[in-house]
Amino acid sequence: MADRVRQAGAHTAILSLEMSDDLDSTALEAIGELSRTLNAQNCQLMLARIKDPARLGLERSGLNSDGRPGARLFWSVDDAVSAA
């Protein structure tokens, strides 16, 4: 995903987690790495359609902030697009 973002020159990447009921430590680590990689490319990561268990995991791991290298969380893709 980071390669596609770089090639497109995008300033924002929106990832829908609609099908992810919960996130284990490996998934949280991967999201954190993606967020840091995108941040290095001057691109912000926005996560959308996050269910409560996954949201709690993101909050506990510190990946839910507006500040870098955190990811911004949104209840819907439309909300994320509007904020981008």
Side-chain angles (χ1 to χ4, degrees):
M1 180 176 183
D3 289 338
R4 286 188 178 199
V5 168
R6 185 181 67 250
Q7 290 170 356
H11 62 83
T12 304
I14 300 172
L15 181 62
S16 174
L17 297 177
E18 177 179 8
M19 300 305 292
S20 302
D21 291 332
D22 200 1
L23 301 173
D24 63 13
S25 61
T26 302
L28 292 170
E29 186 176 322
I31 291 170
E33 184 177 333
L34 175 62
S35 180
R36 287 186 295 277
T37 299
L38 293 175
N39 181 50
Q41 298 174 16
N42 294 315
C43 180
Q44 67 177 330
L45 176 61
M46 295 181 165
L47 303 175
R49 308 227 30 189
I50 305 165
K51 296 185 171 119
D52 286 336
R55 186 175 290 269
L56 288 173
L58 289 163
E59 290 171 354
R60 287 183 189 139
S61 67
L63 291 171
N64 65 324
S65 65
D66 282 347
R68 307 284 190 213
R72 297 179 64 195
L73 307 183
F74 296 89
W75 291 110
S76 72
V77 172
D78 188 51
D79 289 344
V81 170
S82 295

